[in-house]
Amino acid sequence: MYHKNMIKPERHGLIALWFLSLTIIFICSILYSTTPFVKDSKQQEILIETEKDNKCDLFKGHWIRETEVRSGYTNSSCSTIPDSNNCGKHGRVDVDFMNWRWKPDGCELPRFDAKGFLRILRGKTMAFIGDSVARNHMESLLCMLSQEEVPADMYRDSENRFRTWYFSSHDFTLMTLWTKFLVKGEIRVSNSSNNEAYNLYLDEVDYKWIEKLPSVDYAIISAGHWFFRPIYLYRRPSNLIGCVYCNEPNVSSVSPGFALQMAIRSSLKYINGCKTCKKLYTMVRTFSPSHFEGGAWDSGGRCNRTSPMKEGDINLRSTEWEFRNLQVREVERTKKKVQKRGTVKFAILDVTKAMLMRPDGHPDLHWGNRWMRGYSDCVHWCLPGPIDVWNDFLVELLRREKGSSLTD
């Protein structure tokens, strides 16, 4: 006789089988879970390193000498280099300025991957919006990408300022959209000065680039160098609110930085409210410094150094750094106002500190301008040269924005 609370022998096997099944299910759930309790140590190390790199500030660092050129192209292998940026063609013989790489503090900046870049931007359009330095940036990217695929020259305007290139194998379009001030500007006739002066209308974004914006997926906007001249600032549309470098009675004197800040603010406001635009990702590329020494561009200024400066030698109280700071503030200000519809993103492409250290990267006298012989170009950058790091920054920001590797 069995006691009524005793388990019958035939049930022991069923209970054992039940526990075995639960154990197997539990083990499988651990092995195949996306967040297992125990990870492979190598995989865990990679995940930790990736997370650390994603949090690393790419723009705080220093230049390290390399034994090989990092750009992946030469002034002869890239056929699209503008003549004015082809420093080697015009007599520059030192090449050490190309043998440096940017090392962020706390992580590595991956070398530009043209194949990965084109893969992640398949079917997309990227536009560089700004002045000739924005064009300089686009030309650098064009050279780096052309080592993977030769693009078709699709469009140029009569002044060669609006350009479109197309990479057919990847359905990727690259554009440059010219604008001096980002907002509407027109030459002002002034009897008080022989210098060219402008009227700037801060409430009106330059229609020449915004009319192209609905076709753009990624926009890199920049400005700055045109603001160092007499500029009369207006709002709606005849209210004169101030002037840069005017020194006129009854007109408020404002700084170039103020004018740039208002132009950036108006541009970002327009992008944020653009109802005809795609899900647009906008980067503001911070100010690219010039390096005239011994005078201005028209008074004997040169930029003939052949190696980078150290961090301790640059001036973080300069106008260039002021411009950088106000650009960063405007992006952060806009981020707080981003509409909840989630169709726009804003980021900073912060090149200023890295480029303050590179007085060796400009054409100087090696730019082949027959109309300005004897004058140095210390504003634009040689190709190849230190400006190529802007695309290292760019592709890493894109990777972080996508949340994956470019090889995924």
Side-chain angles (χ1 to χ4, degrees):
M1 295 286 296
Y2 288 103
H3 190 274
K4 63 180 180 179
N5 291 325
M6 293 178 65
I7 301 174
K8 294 181 180 181
E10 60 269 20
R11 297 184 61 187
H12 282 286
L14 294 174
I15 294 173
L17 183 61
W18 182 70
F19 274 110
L20 178 62
S21 299
L22 285 178
T23 302
I24 292 173
I25 292 171
F26 180 70
I27 292 172
C28 289
S29 68
I30 292 175
L31 291 176
Y32 295 101
S33 171
T34 56
T35 55
F37 294 106
V38 180
K39 296 185 180 76
D40 175 81
S41 59
K42 185 64 176 178
Q43 181 186 13
Q44 188 174 27
E45 182 180 329
I46 293 173
L47 290 173
I48 292 173
E49 194 66 27
T50 300
E51 183 179 359
K52 183 184 75 171
D53 286 350
N54 285 345
K55 293 180 179 178
C56 171
D57 189 339
L58 299 173
F59 312 116
K60 291 182 179 179
H62 52 283
W63 291 95
I64 296 178
R65 186 187 294 274
E66 288 276 282
T67 56
E68 62 179 16
V69 177
R70 286 180 52 82
S71 61
Y73 70 96
T74 67
N75 69 320
S76 58
S77 69
C78 179
S79 61
T80 57
I81 296 179
D83 200 60
S84 59
N85 301 116
N86 197 334
C87 302
K89 176 182 176 180
H90 295 293
R92 181 162 186 171
V93 295
D94 68 292
V95 295
D96 186 61
F97 74 100
M98 294 186 285
N99 298 339
W100 296 81
R101 70 177 176 90
W102 179 253
K103 171 65 174 69
D105 300 332
C107 66
E108 294 291 333
L109 178 62
R111 186 170 181 171
F112 185 86
D113 175 14
K115 184 176 293 185
F117 183 97
L118 288 169
R119 184 184 301 115
I120 202 171
L121 291 182
R122 182 180 295 276
K124 304 297 184 182
T125 294
M126 174 175 283
F128 288 81
I129 302 164
D131 56 21
S132 56
V133 182
R135 168 72 174 267
N136 201 176
H137 185 183
M138 189 280 293
E139 298 285 3
S140 168
L141 178 60
L142 189 63
C143 280
M144 297 172 89
L145 294 178
S146 66
Q147 306 308 296
E148 177 65 24
E149 178 186 347
V150 178
D153 187 351
M154 301 298 291
Y155 173 78
R156 71 175 71 196
D157 69 348
S158 59
E159 296 180 317
N160 197 27
R161 289 180 169 177
F162 286 74
R163 296 294 303 273
T164 302
W165 301 84
Y166 182 61
F167 296 78
S168 59
S169 296
H170 297 83
D171 189 24
F172 172 62
T173 302
L174 185 62
M175 306 169 67
T176 179
L177 307 178
W178 166 268
T179 177
K180 297 174 183 176
F181 302 107
L182 297 176
V183 295
K184 179 183 175 181
E186 59 185 19
I187 294 178
R188 174 190 181 103
V189 177
S190 173
N191 297 321
S192 61
S193 172
N194 293 323
N195 295 327
E196 193 173 61
Y198 285 84
N199 291 333
L200 236 59
Y201 301 94
L202 299 177
D203 299 312
E204 299 182 53
V205 182
D206 186 352
Y207 76 92
K208 290 183 179 180
W209 68 266
I210 64 173
E211 69 178 5
K212 307 286 187 182
L213 207 58
S215 66
V216 174
D217 300 282
Y218 292 87
I220 296 91
I221 69 172
S222 56
H225 288 284
W226 282 86
F227 288 82
F228 294 103
R229 62 197 70 228
I231 300 174
Y232 294 79
L233 303 177
Y234 289 89
R235 286 196 184 278
R236 289 191 176 87
S238 58
N239 180 22
L240 179 62
I241 65 170
C243 190
V244 180
Y245 300 145
C246 295
N247 298 319
E248 293 187 12
N250 303 319
V251 178
S252 298
S253 178
V254 298
S255 69
F258 174 81
L260 173 60
Q261 185 173 12
M262 294 300 101
I264 292 285
R265 181 175 297 182
S266 293
S267 300
L268 298 185
K269 180 181 179 181
Y270 179 88
I271 292 172
N272 189 32
C274 180
K275 295 181 180 180
T276 60
C277 292
K278 300 180 181 180
K279 190 172 183 179
L280 186 60
Y281 183 45
T282 302
M283 300 181 195
V284 173
R285 195 261 298 153
T286 62
F287 189 70
S288 168
S290 60
H291 289 93
F292 288 100
E293 295 184 83
W297 71 271
D298 58 350
S299 59
R302 296 287 306 275
C303 46
N304 54 359
R305 298 194 186 212
T306 57
S307 59
M309 297 170 66
K310 296 180 180 179
E311 184 175 359
D313 296 328
I314 63 176
N315 181 9
L316 295 183
R317 295 184 178 180
S318 63
T319 300
E320 292 90 347
W321 195 248
E322 176 199 347
F323 275 24
R324 176 263 178 200
N325 287 341
L326 66 87
Q327 288 170 314
V328 171
R329 285 197 298 269
E330 286 306 310
V331 171
E332 294 304 316
R333 179 180 183 272
T334 303
K335 281 182 177 181
K336 295 177 181 178
K337 296 178 177 291
V338 168
Q339 297 177 0
K340 295 182 180 180
R341 56 191 174 93
T343 56
V344 286
K345 289 185 179 180
F346 295 93
I348 280 286
L349 181 58
D350 191 356
V351 306
T352 307
K353 186 174 183 180
M355 305 314 284
L356 278 169
M357 301 182 199
R358 298 308 307 266
D360 57 324
H362 301 285
D364 189 38
L365 295 175
H366 309 295
W367 60 310
N369 191 316
R370 63 179 180 273
W371 295 284
M372 299 183 69
R373 292 189 185 278
Y375 291 96
S376 293
D377 181 357
C378 301
V379 173
H380 304 95
W381 303 89
C382 294
L383 295 177
I387 191 177
D388 294 321
V389 78
W390 298 6
N391 296 311
D392 294 339
F393 290 147
L394 174 60
V395 76
E396 180 61 12
L397 288 178
L398 290 175
R399 185 194 68 78
R400 293 184 180 188
E401 189 263 340
K402 291 289 184 181
S404 63
S405 168
L406 293 180
T407 59
D408 287 349

